[in-house]
Amino acid sequence: MNMTQARISINGPNDLLTTIPLLLGFKPEHSLVVVGLAARQLQCTFRVDLPGSADHLEHLPDLTGQLSLNECDECVVVAYGEKEVAEASIERAAARLFNAGIPPLDRLRVADGRWFSLTCDKPCCPPEGTPIPETSPASCEVALAGCYAAADRAEVAELLAPAAPGRRAAVERAVAAALAAEADLDWATQRSQDLHAIDHWMSTTALPGPDDIASIGLALGDLDIRDYAIRRICTGQFESNRLDLWTWVTRHMADDLRAPAATVAGFAAYRFGNGVLALEAFDTALKSSPNYRLAQMLRAALQAGYPPASLANIGTAELEAAGREE
């Protein structure tokens, strides 16, 4: 099951709070999280850093536009962190959302493994807080969809960190050999080989060795092949959109060749619903090639809050034509 296809029902704070780390891809700290709902089903999740103190709420980003774009009709506002700044941030965000026509169902603060409700003073929400369980029905459903929570943002970034020097050196040698071999191939033969490589490695659970990493990484440098891979991802047929494959290739390519693979990795993460990993991947692509247009476009769409389902036509029609300008 893909997170873009899943419809997750949230039944109370325990369901919500055990699910948020899985949706974000890491365990939040010093964060404001807004969970958007549509017909009481989970629609989207957005996170921002809390300001440094309650005296600096003007630095708290406004998430009303992102929830409106995702057609949310209600939400829950959650802050992770110290009481004063967390509760002040919750109230600021809740007021903005209420004024935007997306009323908060609840306002929660999380600290030290317990949650505190800012809207309920009944025995079900004691002033000393309620322990957050390890799992819930909703979190199990999200986990079955393939989501997991890293310990922090740094652990997410490590998924795209360069591979060991020896492995990267082996891929660099394979890249040089592949480029030399390609000089003797006609366009149709090369294209057929590249398409076969994409189909083969997307359809297996294995990860390629140096020669095949080089072939895939170089193939993605052709915009037609890159867009073909993106269209295959959009079918939703592949486990976790083969994120493991795309991050694996990204980690092994030389810095100046990483942008295409990193962009495909980011797209796969975005379509799967892992915005944090997607952002890391787009940033990786743009560090390699600052003007790589598709990475720029997708990063902007992600930050604006466009839902993953809206990316179904990426790689075709107008966007495919726009990509030719890179």
Side-chain angles (χ1 to χ4, degrees):
M1 179 171 58
N2 192 310
M3 275 306 299
T4 59
Q5 301 166 330
R7 299 297 292 171
I8 309 297
S9 295
I10 299 295
N11 298 300
N14 286 335
D15 259 0
L16 181 71
L17 297 173
T18 53
T19 300
I20 283 175
L22 298 171
L23 297 172
L24 294 177
F26 70 102
K27 297 175 182 177
E29 295 181 354
H30 198 69
S31 299
L32 179 81
V33 175
V34 178
V35 178
L37 306 173
R40 296 294 170 95
Q41 289 189 313
L42 193 149
Q43 189 78 350
C44 59
T45 309
F46 294 97
R47 187 211 71 89
V48 296
D49 290 335
L50 293 179
S53 74
D55 295 326
H56 295 90
L57 292 181
E58 70 274 11
H59 298 304
L60 183 70
D62 185 354
L63 295 172
T64 56
Q66 286 88 333
L67 266 67
S68 295
L69 191 60
N70 283 268
E71 301 181 342
C72 299
D73 52 29
E74 294 174 311
C75 66
V76 178
V77 183
V78 186
Y80 295 76
E82 184 269 330
K83 180 180 172 66
E84 183 180 11
V85 65
E87 293 190 355
S89 298
I90 288 171
E91 297 302 340
R92 171 65 66 92
R96 287 170 169 170
L97 290 158
F98 184 85
N99 290 334
I102 311 171
L105 284 176
D106 206 348
R107 304 192 298 274
L108 305 170
R109 181 174 70 88
V110 175
D112 301 322
R114 307 177 77 86
W115 61 265
F116 307 80
S117 175
L118 278 64
T119 60
C120 177
D121 57 5
K122 297 179 181 178
C124 58
C125 301
E128 67 273 17
T130 303
I132 300 172
E134 291 187 7
T135 62
S136 69
S139 69
C140 289
E141 191 172 351
V142 172
L144 285 173
C147 295
Y148 72 96
D152 51 32
R153 283 290 296 269
E155 188 175 315
V156 176
E158 279 297 309
L159 296 173
L160 290 156
R167 293 194 60 87
R168 294 188 78 197
V171 172
E172 286 185 17
R173 292 192 294 271
V175 165
L179 289 172
E182 286 178 5
D184 297 325
L185 296 178
D186 60 79
W187 177 86
T189 301
Q190 183 63 59
R191 179 181 175 83
S192 177
Q193 289 184 1
D194 290 344
L195 292 172
H196 174 75
I198 297 298
D199 282 336
H200 170 74
W201 287 106
M202 288 190 73
S203 300
T204 182
T205 58
L207 291 173
D211 290 345
D212 289 306
I213 292 171
S215 296
I216 297 168
L218 289 173
L220 293 175
D222 182 321
L223 301 185
D224 286 328
I225 303 301
R226 181 203 68 188
D227 291 351
Y228 176 75
I230 283 173
R231 291 194 294 272
R232 296 288 282 154
I233 290 168
C234 284
T235 66
Q237 298 175 3
F238 304 98
E239 182 72 24
S240 301
N241 291 337
R242 281 314 315 265
L243 258 171
D244 58 337
L245 170 64
W246 310 121
T247 56
W248 179 254
V249 174
T250 299
R251 294 181 60 215
H252 286 81
M253 296 301 291
D255 291 346
D256 60 337
L257 297 174
R258 299 182 85 191
T263 300
V264 173
F267 180 83
Y270 193 168
R271 279 282 294 176
F272 188 70
N274 190 334
V276 174
L277 180 55
L279 183 60
E280 291 286 350
F282 298 143
D283 284 347
T284 296
L286 293 171
K287 287 177 184 175
S288 169
S289 181
N291 296 318
Y292 199 74
R293 180 163 179 174
L294 186 59
Q296 292 175 333
M297 293 167 63
L298 290 170
R299 190 181 192 279
L302 176 64
Q303 292 185 317
Y306 281 90
S310 70
L311 305 179
N313 293 323
I314 294 281
T316 61
E318 297 87 3
L319 286 174
E320 189 174 63
R324 299 296 185 275
E325 299 176 15
E326 294 174 7

